[in-house]
Amino acid sequence: ANVAVTNVELHRDLAGERETVRATARVVRAGEDSAAAGPRDVEVALEINGRAVQTRRVAVAPNASAAVSFDAVPVPDGWTRG
């Protein structure tokens, strides 16, 4: 089966004087006979600057998608890559 993150939404907010971001990702599972396979648990990690800061598990049915949300995290100072 092929599993991919197809979309990520970032929601920025201010917590006091600190900027935070909350991420929601859409995970898609494709390429399986849906009659033969049931939902599969997929581990999804939120990485900031190459370091996993949160992980979540989501059940994704064959040829379907599921959303996974992460808690708000502080945005590091300076440049950030995800």
Side-chain angles (χ1 to χ4, degrees), residues 1 8 27 50 62 70 78:
V8 176
V27 180
F70 295 92

Side-chain angles (χ1 to χ4, degrees), residues 2-70:
N2 295 317
V3 178
V5 173
T6 59
N7 186 47
V8 176
E9 293 181 12
L10 301 176
H11 306 277
R12 291 180 167 243
D13 199 7
L14 284 176
E17 294 191 18
R18 185 73 179 190
E19 187 175 21
T20 63
V21 66
R22 186 173 35 87
T24 302
R26 174 139 324 266
V27 180
V28 174
R29 181 177 167 200
E32 282 189 274
D33 179 9
S34 58
R40 181 168 132 195
D41 264 356
V42 176
E43 185 173 276
V44 182
L46 173 63
E47 292 185 4
I48 298 176
N49 290 331
R51 184 174 66 91
V53 295
Q54 291 180 37
T55 57
R56 296 283 186 270
R57 294 195 77 77
V58 63
V60 185
N63 300 312
S65 65
V68 60
S69 296
F70 295 92

